[in-house]
Amino acid sequence: MPSLSEETNGRIETLMPGATIGIIGGGQLGRMMALSARYHGFRIGVLDPTPDCPVAQVADFQVTADYDDKAAIRELAERSDVLTYEFENVDADAIDEVRGSVAVPQGTDLLRVTQDRVFEKRFINDHGTQTALWRQVDDLDGLDNAIKEIGYPAVLKTRRGGYDGHGQVVVRGPEDLAKVHERDRLGTFPPSVLEGFVDFAFEASILISGNGKDFVTFPIVRNEHRHNILHLTIAPAQVSDGIAEEAKALALRLAKGFQLAGTLAIELFITKDGRVVVNELAPRPHNSGHYTIEACSIDQFDAHIRGIAGWPLPQPKLLGPAVMANVLGQHVSSTRKLIAVHPEWYVHDYGKAEVRQDRKMGHITVLTDDTQRTVDELEATGCWDDLRQ
Ligand code: AMP
């Protein structure tokens, strides 16, 4: 597990307007970072293989290449004052190689920890915070042993590269275990973790932002998924003060542990007996924080930009309750009609040229004084009726 070094973190120079922020990844998270960076007066470069990607549409320049193209990362670094990223699966070694020519205030330890579920869970537990019961699993024998310790049901996840439920198998009983054996009998078992299945009341998340020294939290929100993809975020989550305080406290423990610069998202399970259990971390702004753009005094992207620029961070205030609904490829044409019907709804479009099933194309945020009524209203539009099983 990488150790957090002084070298890596905690050395954040203050960046002034006019400086260039290089973003690795040209999707919606990078685009919203870039829009924030823009109004703060920064210039923006982006590395992404798709010409005219969502970030490029609002950036000063694009390096058009794959994310792991070392020469391209070097070019972005040389043309930027600071590097950041919009997703966690970037090549940490490649970033380390360019740190002589560009500031990387987030460091690369945060990346290395969050790229690997074993490192991540160990880090979370080492910082006094609950996860599901878990075991590292390197092969099928290890899986059988882990099942004996954890019991059914359990969730088998690849250590690296999984997202939105990809690379996951729910092991409900011996039949599912046999299926995993069958699938992997050719010796292709990927390094994995087995987690106990958390019988949660609901899923939630909390965002925290830092500038390496000071940290601010956003309110805990409730998340509803469909087909493993975030569908709705309801802000704030209706939770007891104790749960809200625990979520905030654990976020602060983790942020301090990372000497966090920028925004970190912490995905949570709230159990039926009121425990707050961390599912996973995302070392960047997060889909469940899009509501902050309209509903908070400072949003998750502003906080990210201020944090990596070494600026002080104001405490975010929730200005009022909000509901955010994702617009996936299959929802684009129906939700476009809402622009005319609901001028009071905030319709975001990420500028993606290619519409695909399940692709995140935009989102809609509604400010409301009754989140349940708003959820009902959103669903009643029929725009999110997925015909897919
Ligand atoms: P992940 O990619 O780890 O965020 O998992 C995707 C979804 O699978 C989560 O949002 C949960 O709904 C579900 N899930 C993941 N891990 C567990 C677990 N240990 N227990 C129960 N549900 C889980």
Side-chain angles (χ1 to χ4, degrees), residues 138-177:
D138 298 324
D139 49 32
L140 289 171
D141 287 343
L143 174 62
D144 293 344
N145 290 332
I147 276 284
K148 278 183 204 136
E149 291 182 65
I150 288 177
Y152 297 112
V155 188
L156 182 65
K157 301 182 180 178
T158 52
R159 276 179 72 160
R160 300 176 71 90
Y163 67 96
D164 288 347
H166 295 261
Q168 288 189 22
V169 185
V170 180
V171 188
R172 293 183 198 283
E175 282 149 40
D176 290 338
L177 184 61

Side-chain angles (χ1 to χ4, degrees), residues 117 157 165 168 195-198 203 228 267 269 279-280:
R117 289 188 194 271
K157 301 182 180 178
Q168 288 189 22
E195 291 179 23
F197 194 88
V198 179
E203 294 187 74
N228 274 331
E267 296 181 19
F269 298 125
N279 175 24
E280 61 177 1

